[in-house]
Amino acid sequence: MQNRSTLYINGIWETPGSVQQIEVVNPASETVIGRVPAAGSREVDRAVTAARAAFAGWARTPVAERAAVLGKILQGLIARQDEIARTITDEVGMPLKLSRRIQAGLPAVVLESYVKLLAEYRFEERIGNSLVVREPAGVAACITPWNYPLHQVVAKVAPALAAGCSVVLKPSEVAPLSAFILADIIQEACLPAGVFNLVSGTGEAVGEPLARHPEVDLVSFTGSVRAGQRVAALAAETVKRVALELGGKSAAIVLDDADLAAAIKGTVGACFLNSGQTCTAHTRLLVPESLYAEAAALATEAAAAYTPGDPLHEQTKLGPLVSAAQRERVLGYIRSGIAEGAELLLGGLEPPAGLTKGYFVQPTVFGRVVPGMTIAREEIFGPVLSIMTYRDEADAIRIANATVYGLAGAVWSGSAARAEGVARQLRAGQVDINGGSFNPLAPFGGYKQSGNGRELGRYGLEEFLEVKAMQFR
């Protein structure tokens, strides 16, 4: 049991004013595995006040010294990777073998990238008679989701600290435990008091006061479109900067000259990762009408290999959904797909065989999905794949772009040049070509209602910088 009764504010662990706590539930066993404080506006105000007082000193700290502190935090993350992986598996449900590589490994990779970037990034440049300088934006509120709880935290906190900002972090109340481990590591790294603060609680009690707080200079938020709209509206009251990473409904376009088996296997993997609870999940598989039957058979076979089970077992490929509410949401979309006439090729509404506990959903594949169906338009956030057909390239691009989202996508072709030509026409922030691997230095973020702003690499750093020009005679 990982019980936390204090919040990390101004360099120390403080007892909050309220004794209320939030229970953290293991989605595989449905048991309570920890508790964290349910903070409110009073604790938010204390944390923001501490961050404001610490900002000027941290902003003036030489870049090399900021990099050295980040390096100490990195070593702490590496030293506690096994603990972090098991903690996130327990609170989110990702199979442990994947959590070791993704949930615990990726945050260390991202943090290391910022340590290296600080050694080469140019914070000043001459343009004609002007000296253009990039300065830390101020107090940053970082509000993060539950699906990749530590990665999303580090993707915001690392560039904010690297830029010279002070931070108030609100992790998801569904999966907050790894953020508390990070706070332990930060304290051990001797980051100056007030530069990093952790306040746990609900979006209404903590997130909203952060977004509207007059002493917060910018908000970096990852979550649902509805919550992002609320954050943006509250932040607008004080005209603060806002970066939003919201939902997705990503399409994988398989062209007629692609390696069909590789494309289907890659798409199913990108759809079912983390039980489909990934904002970039490739949930729409677009294939030529002539290849539908073969693609449907391959997709069904590939999806059937995603065996649901105990996430601590090495053979498990599909863990539970994060909560009972999330399971019911996904089952609702499966009902919708059936009711609206999609062809159910695999899975469905029944719980996986032999799993009487846990928030599990069968790996599910729908065929003959058309653009007007609910499962083709809305983000499901579960292990559900929709197979759609198209007439020609132009039709595929039209279908892929016919969504309010624009976060990610994929193109598969025997010709990299042809795939690139299609990718250039997709209205999405990130497009994988022939299974291209994730790049932690490339910008991550979306078009349209998938949000604004970018994370990772220098693009993520610049979200936390202001630009000043000084003109000389």
Side-chain angles (χ1 to χ4, degrees), residues 149-467:
L150 187 59
H151 166 62
Q152 296 284 1
V153 166
V154 170
K156 299 179 188 301
V157 172
L161 296 179
C165 292
S166 55
V167 172
V168 179
L169 168 66
K170 189 211 98 61
S172 167
E173 66 273 23
V174 176
L177 298 176
S178 60
F180 280 80
I181 296 175
L182 176 64
D184 287 335
I185 292 169
I186 285 175
Q187 186 178 44
E188 293 166 3
C190 298
L191 188 70
V195 174
F196 171 85
N197 306 272
L198 169 64
V199 182
S200 56
T202 65
E204 182 178 11
V206 174
E208 292 195 4
L210 270 176
R212 62 158 50 100
H213 201 291
E215 290 297 323
V216 168
D217 296 294
L218 75 160
V219 181
S220 180
F221 171 85
T222 298
S224 69
V225 171
R226 186 178 65 176
Q229 290 169 335
R230 178 64 174 162
V231 166
L234 293 172
E237 294 174 6
T238 49
V239 200
K240 55 174 59 72
R241 289 169 55 182
V242 178
L244 301 173
E245 195 269 282
L246 307 175
K249 192 65 183 175
S250 304
I253 298 175
V254 180
L255 299 178
D256 55 14
D257 62 345
D259 180 335
L260 188 62
I264 300 302
K265 181 180 179 181
T267 301
V268 170
C271 180
F272 287 178
L273 178 65
N274 202 21
S275 300
Q277 298 169 131
T278 301
C279 52
T280 57
H282 298 169
T283 55
R284 294 182 295 154
L285 171 61
L286 276 57
V287 298
E289 175 62 41
S290 61
L291 296 177
Y292 171 76
E294 186 180 358
L298 287 169
T300 303
E301 180 183 5
Y306 280 77
T307 311
D310 185 342
L312 297 179
H313 292 171
E314 288 296 316
Q315 68 270 27
T316 297
K317 295 187 69 175
L318 197 70
L321 298 179
V322 76
S323 66
Q326 185 64 19
R327 177 182 60 186
E328 289 309 306
R329 170 186 166 88
V330 172
L331 291 176
Y333 278 112
I334 294 174
R335 291 187 191 97
S336 171
I338 294 169
E340 293 179 14
E343 182 181 359
L344 182 63
L345 301 175
L346 180 73
L349 297 169
E350 295 300 316
L355 294 173
T356 57
K357 274 193 175 291
Y359 310 127
F360 291 94
V361 171
Q362 292 187 65
T364 298
V365 178
F366 281 106
R368 296 297 177 190
V369 177
V370 297
M373 292 179 179
T374 302
I375 59 173
R377 294 183 290 105
E378 298 185 14
E379 184 176 41
I380 298 173
F381 233 54
V384 181
L385 177 69
S386 297
I387 305 176
M388 311 173 74
T389 63
Y390 64 85
R391 296 185 304 273
D392 51 28
E393 273 188 26
D395 192 38
I397 294 164
R398 179 189 62 78
I399 294 171
N401 286 337
T403 170
V404 299
Y405 296 110
L407 186 59
V411 184
W412 296 81
S413 172
S415 164
R418 183 184 179 196
E420 181 184 336
V422 172
R424 286 179 177 273
Q425 298 177 70
L426 297 184
R427 298 285 294 169
Q430 190 171 86
V431 183
D432 300 339
I433 293 177
N434 289 331
S437 59
F438 178 75
N439 180 358
L441 299 180
F444 180 81
Y447 289 27
K448 299 186 281 185
Q449 290 186 32
S450 286
N452 53 64
R454 293 296 182 267
E455 293 185 334
L456 304 179
R458 66 178 178 86
Y459 309 91
L461 179 67
E462 289 170 351
E463 289 292 335
F464 296 92
L465 295 171
E466 292 280 14
V467 181

Side-chain angles (χ1 to χ4, degrees), residues 61-78:
T61 301
V63 171
E65 291 183 23
R66 295 206 295 264
V69 176
L70 290 178
K72 291 179 182 178
I73 298 171
L74 171 62
Q75 292 308 309
L77 284 180
I78 293 171

Side-chain angles (χ1 to χ4, degrees), residues 55-133:
F55 168 64
W58 182 243
R60 290 193 300 267
T61 301
V63 171
E65 291 183 23
R66 295 206 295 264
V69 176
L70 290 178
K72 291 179 182 178
I73 298 171
L74 171 62
Q75 292 308 309
L77 284 180
I78 293 171
R80 298 178 70 169
Q81 276 189 331
D82 288 344
E83 176 190 0
I84 290 167
R86 175 59 190 262
T87 297
I88 296 177
T89 288
D90 285 346
E91 59 183 352
V92 174
M94 177 181 277
L96 182 58
K97 62 183 178 182
L98 293 176
S99 283
R100 292 190 190 105
R101 178 167 55 88
I102 299 172
Q103 300 283 17
L106 188 55
V109 169
V110 170
L111 182 51
E112 183 178 26
S113 75
Y114 282 107
V115 174
K116 293 179 178 178
L117 181 62
L118 283 179
E120 61 187 42
Y121 187 79
R122 294 177 60 193
F123 286 89
E124 299 184 4
E125 63 178 326
R126 285 279 184 179
I127 300 178
N129 69 313
S130 300
L131 176 64
V132 178
V133 298

